[in-house]
């Protein structure tokens, strides 16, 4: 029997002990300033009070580190480049330090955990020492996140270059395919008897669809062009299916000024024609809401076929290669700008694609 061995995630020791080290350093610098300037012996006084102060200093550093790491993660995940509004960023950090540091000191003194001999003067000393040190610590954390972000970006760029190289090689291998295909279609077209107008019209439609798919795949097209293609594609698909099939389409008319990368809706429509069963009904709609394009397609299915697949009613649907490729294209063309969801019901399968332009 083979046992799979799972690798444990690496533990970053600096992340774990860094705040403790910074808390110890900060507390000892405070002691140097307060003890030696008063001509007292370093770490003079009760050991319990100093131990409490040291633990509180470490706890403050852990709290602030946790908050700052999460903040930096969100800040750099939203920004495509390194954020440049440094003054605002550090002003927020300063406010956070003051709001966290002073209440903790005040409560600790009231509970008798630490001793603030000179009252207000000691509060000023604590702030004067901890604020610069913690802001320096924030700078170190920030630089760490920047270095990681730049490293991830370089890795991503190298991956894109590798993918592009693979795509270029695939393109070179398949350059002859379109010309061969169109020549073959022309040959078949002229071999069909002139009286067979249905077959000739089907070949003409197929040629137009292929030309659109081959020559318009890389650049954006107007929504009117895409809808014209979808209308032709739906009409072509209807020819090969039973007369029982009913297709309802509802496309908005106002698309002026909007452009989109082509062939994002076609795989979903193709799935609907492929898997339609039961009442043989397909509903397709394409609507505009502000800068959002909302595409919906649904097709009827047989209830028992859904159950035989072992997929819970209304549960997630496994995507095939067509949907997998569609998701890859959406991730590349509209990253974080789209929503794609599917739903199974007893006798209906529906898919919705929302793209924010």
């Amino acid at each position: 029997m083979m046992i799979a061995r799972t690798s444990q995630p690496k533990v970053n020791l600096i992340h774990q002990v860094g705040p403790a080290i910074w808390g110890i350093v900060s507390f000892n610098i405070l002691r140097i300033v307060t003890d030696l300037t008063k001509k007292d012996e370093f770490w003079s006084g009760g050991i319990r009070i100093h131990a409490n102060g040291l633990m509180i200093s470490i706890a403050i550093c852990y709290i602030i580190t946790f908050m700052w790491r999460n903040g930096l993660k969100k800040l750099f995940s939203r920004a495509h480049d390194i954020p440049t509004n440094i003054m605002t960023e550090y002003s927020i950090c300063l406010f956070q330090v003051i709001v966290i540091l002073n209440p903790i000191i005040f409560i600790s003194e009231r509970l008798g955990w630490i001793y603030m001999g000179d009252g207000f003067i000691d509060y000023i000393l604590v702030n004067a020492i901890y604020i610069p040190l913690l802001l320096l610590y924030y700078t170190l954390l920030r630089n760490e996140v920047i270095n990681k972000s730049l490293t991830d970006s370089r890795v991503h760029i190298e991956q894109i270059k590798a993918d592009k190289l693979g795509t270029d090689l695939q393109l070179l291998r398949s350059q002859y395919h379109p010309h061969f295909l169109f020549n073959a279609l022309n040959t078949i077209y002229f071999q069909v008897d002139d009286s067979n107008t249905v077959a000739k019209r089907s070949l003409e439609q197929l040629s137009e669809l292929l030309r659109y798919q081959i020559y318009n795949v890389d650049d954006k097209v107007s929504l009117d062009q895409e809808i014209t293609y979808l209308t032709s594609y739906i009409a072509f698909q209807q020819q090969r299916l039973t007369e029982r099939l009913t297709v309802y389409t509802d496309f908005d008319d106002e698309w002026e000024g909007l452009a989109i990368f082509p062939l994002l809706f076609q795989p979903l429509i193709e799935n609907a024609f492929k898997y339609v069963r039961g009442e043989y009904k397909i509903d397709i709609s394409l609507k505009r809401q502000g800068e959002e394009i909302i595409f919906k397609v649904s097709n009827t299915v047989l209830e028992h076929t859904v159950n035989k697949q072992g997929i819970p009613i209304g549960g997630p649907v496994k995507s095939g290669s067509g949907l997998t490729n569609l998701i890859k294209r959406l991730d590349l063309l509209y990253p974080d700008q789209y929503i794609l969801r599917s739903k199974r019901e007893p006798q209906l399968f529906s898919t919705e694609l929302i793209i924010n332009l």
Side-chain angles (χ1 to χ4, degrees):
M1 181 177 66
M2 297 182 63
I3 300 176
R5 306 182 73 177
T6 58
S7 59
Q8 297 295 327
K10 292 183 179 179
V11 177
N12 193 323
L13 189 61
I14 297 299
H15 285 188
Q16 290 189 342
V17 303
I21 295 172
W22 205 259
I24 293 170
V25 170
S26 301
F27 181 76
N28 281 283
I29 292 175
L30 175 64
R31 292 265 47 93
I32 291 172
V33 173
T34 55
D35 291 345
L36 299 186
T37 55
K38 295 177 183 179
K39 298 182 179 180
D40 289 336
E41 185 180 350
F42 181 56
W43 265 61
S44 61
I47 189 66
R48 184 182 66 83
I49 293 293
H50 288 311
N52 289 341
L54 183 61
M55 292 300 103
I56 292 169
S57 176
I58 293 173
I60 288 172
C61 285
Y62 272 105
I63 293 170
I64 289 178
T65 298
F66 176 78
M67 181 176 61
W68 280 348
R69 283 195 184 279
N70 286 333
L72 285 167
K73 183 178 179 181
K74 292 178 182 177
L75 179 65
F76 280 84
S77 65
R78 291 195 305 265
H80 296 289
D81 300 312
I82 297 173
T84 56
N85 199 345
I86 302 296
M87 289 299 296
T88 301
E89 191 178 335
Y90 274 84
S91 296
I92 293 172
C93 291
L94 175 61
F95 175 76
Q96 291 171 336
V97 171
I98 293 172
V99 168
I100 291 173
L101 181 64
N102 290 287
I104 291 178
I105 294 173
F106 179 80
I107 293 171
S108 299
E109 184 188 18
R110 288 293 180 271
L111 293 174
W113 294 346
I114 59 174
Y115 175 67
M116 304 288 285
D118 293 332
F120 184 70
I121 299 299
D122 279 356
Y123 275 97
I124 294 176
L125 280 173
V126 171
N127 281 269
I129 291 171
Y130 270 80
I131 287 176
L133 289 172
L134 288 173
L135 291 181
L136 175 60
Y137 185 52
Y138 177 80
T139 302
L140 296 177
L141 293 176
R142 190 178 191 274
N143 288 340
E144 178 190 328
V145 174
I146 290 174
N147 289 334
K148 185 178 183 303
S149 178
L150 292 175
T151 301
D152 291 344
S153 297
R154 283 193 290 268
V155 171
H156 183 62
I157 289 171
E158 291 301 321
Q159 183 63 48
I160 291 175
K161 288 180 179 178
D163 292 343
K164 184 178 183 300
L165 178 61
T167 303
D168 290 343
L169 290 172
Q170 186 178 2
L171 179 62
L172 288 172
R173 294 190 192 103
S174 61
Q175 273 184 338
Y176 68 92
H177 287 172
H179 299 290
F180 170 78
L181 185 59
F182 286 123
N183 287 335
L185 286 174
N186 283 332
T187 301
I188 296 171
Y189 180 85
F190 288 110
Q191 288 177 345
V192 174
D193 191 272
D194 289 339
S195 61
N196 195 342
T197 56
V198 175
K200 282 185 171 288
R201 179 55 190 156
S202 295
L203 286 171
E204 290 172 359
Q205 284 183 305
L206 178 59
S207 178
E208 292 169 3
L209 293 173
L210 290 174
R211 186 173 285 106
Y212 184 88
Q213 291 184 213
I214 292 171
Y215 295 117
N216 293 299
V217 70
D218 294 324
D219 300 319
K220 285 186 176 182
V221 298
S222 69
L223 262 299
D224 290 328
Q225 287 177 279
E226 184 71 5
I227 289 174
T228 299
Y229 164 78
L230 293 178
T231 303
S232 298
Y233 180 80
I234 292 168
F236 181 78
Q237 288 281 21
Q238 283 181 280
Q239 292 182 20
R240 67 179 186 84
L241 292 178
T242 173
E243 294 181 355
R244 293 172 52 198
L245 176 66
T246 305
V247 180
Y248 301 95
T249 58
D250 185 11
F251 298 155
D252 277 354
D253 297 325
E254 295 297 326
W255 299 103
E256 186 176 355
L258 283 185
I260 191 173
F261 286 99
L263 305 174
L264 296 175
F265 310 121
Q266 181 267 340
L268 303 177
I269 297 176
E270 182 181 3
N271 267 11
F273 277 99
K274 183 177 181 181
Y275 295 109
V276 63
R277 298 290 187 275
E279 297 181 10
Y280 278 89
K281 291 182 180 179
I282 297 177
D283 282 283
I284 306 169
S285 69
L286 188 61
K287 300 290 183 179
R288 174 181 180 177
Q289 289 187 3
E291 293 300 310
E292 285 188 343
I293 296 176
I294 302 174
F295 174 82
K296 296 180 182 179
V297 57
S298 63
N299 59 275
T300 57
V301 294
L302 291 174
E303 184 173 358
H304 70 274
T305 59
V306 175
N307 293 333
K308 279 183 178 179
Q309 293 174 5
I311 301 173
I313 300 301
V317 181
K318 294 181 179 179
S319 59
S321 60
L323 290 179
T324 301
N325 292 334
L326 171 61
I327 292 171
K328 288 181 179 178
R329 286 195 69 208
L330 288 168
D331 286 338
L332 288 172
L333 301 175
Y334 296 102
D336 302 321
Q337 294 175 252
Y338 77 92
I339 299 172
L340 177 62
R341 51 194 173 207
S342 299
K343 183 179 180 182
R344 281 190 184 273
E345 297 176 17
Q347 296 181 351
L348 190 72
F349 175 70
S350 57
T351 304
E352 182 179 41
L353 173 59
I354 302 173
I355 301 176
N356 189 339
L357 301 180

